[in-house]
Structures are given as structure tokens and as C-alpha cells.
Amino acid sequence: MLTISTNVTIADWEIDISQIRAQGSGGQNVNKVASAVHLRFDIQSSTLPPVYKERLMALSDQRISKEGVVIIKAQSYRTLELNKEDALARLKTLIQSAGKQQKTRRPTKPTKGSQRRRVDHKTRKGKTKSLRGKVPIS
């Protein structure tokens, strides 16, 4: 049972975890032991509330396929148990991020004082640069 929030949980039967061999170098043991984890979670057939499903499907995350299957590969740790915990934690953070409501951005304008300070700074810089020219010899 994976607890997302106080009223949203995911049952164990909804998450498919399979063992695979880890990629990359790591010595002789990595070629014999399947300690990496492939986690698959189908969004459409899950018991998540419809709001979570819509937001997850709208995300442009490479871990979510077009069919709505979340695929997470965890191979950071040497043991299977730690990789399982890591994959479940990453799934939990993904679903929690979809559950948060983003604040709507309100466009703002610079204040009159900041506009005045900007123009004053520009004129001072311009005067300084104009004084760097050649000195007339008379």
C-alpha cells in the first residue's frame, strides 16, 4: 500500500515491480545479480481520483508513455530492497507533484520609481562613457 496523501492510496496490485539486471559497469557481481527494479503503473486502470489521472496524463514527462503507463527504472543502489523503495518514492513524488495546484501567474509591471531609477542610471552611465572620449587639444 503506497500512501500518496491522507485520502489517496495506491494498492499493491496496481503497481507491477519486476527485477532486472542493472546497466553499466560495476564489476563481476553486476553481471550475476538482478538488483535493479522496473516499476510499471497504469494510470488509466488505477484507482486514483480522476483529477490526479487528468493531471498525470497532461504532464510532459518522459517516464509516462502515451498509453498512460508510468515506467520507472531504479538502479542506484546495490540491493533490490533499496531500489524498490527508491522506485516507489519516485512514483509517490510524481503523483504528489501532479496533485498540487499551480498558482496562476499574474503579470506585473515595474513601478514608477524603478523605471525612474533605471533611466537615471542609464543617463549617468552615458555621461561617464562620453567623458572617456578623446580630449581636445587647443
Side-chain angles (χ1 to χ4, degrees), residues 119-135:
V119 173
D120 290 344
H121 182 70
K122 283 174 68 110
T123 53
R124 273 188 273 123
K125 275 284 194 193
K127 285 179 186 174
T128 305
K129 287 186 174 190
S130 67
L131 291 174
R132 291 183 190 157
K134 290 187 177 181
V135 179

Side-chain angles (χ1 to χ4, degrees), residues 38-106:
H38 232 169
L39 181 141
R40 297 176 67 84
F41 174 70
D42 191 3
I43 298 169
Q44 300 296 345
S45 65
S46 68
T47 58
L48 283 174
V51 176
Y52 280 89
K53 289 181 182 182
E54 291 170 10
R55 289 184 184 165
L56 278 171
M57 292 302 291
L59 282 178
S60 61
D61 197 321
Q62 66 183 16
R63 296 174 291 184
I64 302 173
S65 67
K66 291 178 184 175
E67 295 82 32
V69 178
V70 179
I71 300 170
I72 295 176
K73 183 177 183 182
Q75 61 179 8
S76 302
Y77 300 101
R78 291 182 62 157
T79 62
L80 181 69
E81 291 78 22
L82 287 176
N83 282 329
K84 276 184 184 178
E85 290 175 16
D86 182 39
L88 289 171
R90 284 164 43 192
L91 177 67
K92 182 177 179 178
T93 55
L94 178 69
I95 296 172
Q96 284 176 341
S97 69
K100 290 181 183 172
Q101 181 69 23
Q102 295 257 331
K103 288 185 180 178
T104 55
R105 185 189 175 279
R106 289 182 294 155

Side-chain angles (χ1 to χ4, degrees), residues 103-116:
K103 288 185 180 178
T104 55
R105 185 189 175 279
R106 289 182 294 155
T108 59
K109 294 181 180 177
T111 61
K112 294 277 187 190
S114 68
Q115 289 176 349
R116 194 177 308 114

